[in-house]
Amino acid sequence: MIAALRTLKAQQPLELIVAVPVASPDRLAQVRHECDEAVCLLEAPDLHAVAEYYQDFTQVEDAEV
C-alpha cells in the first residue's frame, strides 16, 4: 500500500484518502504519513492476519479475478 500511495502521490492528486476495514495501529501510522486521510473501521493491536476478522475469507482463483 505504501508503494501504491507514493506512486499516486507523484501524480499530484488534490487529495489522497485511504480506507481499510482493519489494520494494526503501527502500520496505520505508517500509512497516515503517506496520505491526507486514513479511515480504518477497526484498529487491532493484535492483528496477525486480516482473514481473522472475516466470517468468509475464501481465496479467489486467478481466473475469477
Side-chain angles (χ1 to χ4, degrees), residues 13-35:
L14 294 177
E15 193 171 28
L16 193 52
I17 300 171
V18 171
V20 294
V22 61
S24 64
D26 59 327
R27 294 294 182 215
L28 194 55
Q30 291 176 334
V31 168
R32 283 190 170 117
H33 287 291
E34 302 292 337
C35 62

Side-chain angles (χ1 to χ4, degrees), residues 1 5 10 12 17 27 29-30 33 39-40 51 54 61 63:
M1 180 179 288
L5 288 169
Q12 300 179 341
I17 300 171
R27 294 294 182 215
Q30 291 176 334
H33 287 291
V39 178
C40 181
Y54 286 84
E61 298 296 326

Side-chain angles (χ1 to χ4, degrees), residues 22 44 46-54 57:
V22 61
D46 58 345
L47 178 70
H48 297 286
V50 172
E52 295 173 351
Y53 294 87
Y54 286 84
F57 200 73

